[in-house]
Amino acid sequence: MTTLIESRLNEMGIVLPEVSNPAGSYANYVIINGLMFISGKGPSGKPKGKLGKEYTAEEGYQFAREAAIEVLAVVKEALGTLDRVKRVVKVQGFINAVPEFEDHAKVLNGYSDLMYEVFSDKGVHARSVLGAVSVRDNLPIIVDSIFQVEE
């Protein structure tokens, strides 16, 4: 049975990937008191490099969208359906960038825009974006998230 959100993803041409395993000694997610905390996820294909050097802000935007799709895969695996998402609450992006890079917010918009496209007003969230001198596996972006979910 296809759910409302899955139908929307199909219309958008988005297929959720298999959930990647954590890169260390931690869980992909934890749910407590109706909040789902999702560990940092990067873009599919594990690209390596910095924004402002190997990649442009526009490419970073696409990487952020891919990271959002990775996060959605975790949510679906954990909940069985994305229709149990009540709200995207908070997003934090870590942009692997050269010191001169100034388009961090534009990059993370790739994640934010996708969440709005998928969940409409429930996808609008608070967020923080930070430039990082380095991130795990030299990924261009890592994003962690908090969702309010039906338990």
Side-chain angles (χ1 to χ4, degrees), residues 116-137:
Y116 180 75
E117 292 166 19
V118 171
F119 296 109
S120 301
D121 289 342
K122 295 188 306 184
V124 177
H125 50 268
R127 75 177 201 187
S128 302
V129 61
L130 307 162
V133 66
S134 68
V135 300
R136 157 178 72 77
D137 297 328

Side-chain angles (χ1 to χ4, degrees), residues 5-139:
I5 299 300
E6 288 171 355
S7 293
R8 192 170 296 145
L9 289 175
N10 288 337
E11 290 169 11
M12 297 169 67
I14 294 174
V15 176
L16 297 180
E18 286 191 34
V19 174
S20 61
N21 292 322
S25 300
Y26 59 90
N28 266 332
Y29 67 91
V30 172
I31 299 174
I32 187 164
N33 297 326
L35 293 177
M36 181 177 195
F37 298 81
I38 301 170
S39 297
K41 291 291 178 187
S44 58
K46 299 193 182 211
K48 296 186 180 292
K50 291 187 177 290
L51 278 290
K53 184 176 179 187
E54 287 86 8
Y55 301 112
T56 65
E58 292 76 20
E59 290 168 311
Y61 180 96
Q62 290 304 317
F63 290 144
R65 284 182 74 88
E66 291 173 15
I69 292 168
E70 295 286 331
V71 166
L72 292 176
V74 171
V75 175
K76 179 158 191 302
E77 181 179 90
L79 302 178
T81 174
L82 293 171
D83 287 334
R84 289 181 52 200
V85 170
K86 291 182 175 182
R87 181 77 192 246
V88 181
V89 177
K90 172 76 177 184
V91 172
Q92 185 166 293
F94 299 90
I95 310 298
N96 186 10
V98 297
E100 305 80 34
F101 190 76
E102 296 182 352
D103 289 329
H104 303 78
K106 289 179 186 175
V107 168
L108 196 54
N109 281 347
Y111 186 105
S112 298
D113 291 349
L114 184 69
M115 288 300 152
Y116 180 75
E117 292 166 19
V118 171
F119 296 109
S120 301
D121 289 342
K122 295 188 306 184
V124 177
H125 50 268
R127 75 177 201 187
S128 302
V129 61
L130 307 162
V133 66
S134 68
V135 300
R136 157 178 72 77
D137 297 328
N138 197 29
L139 294 170

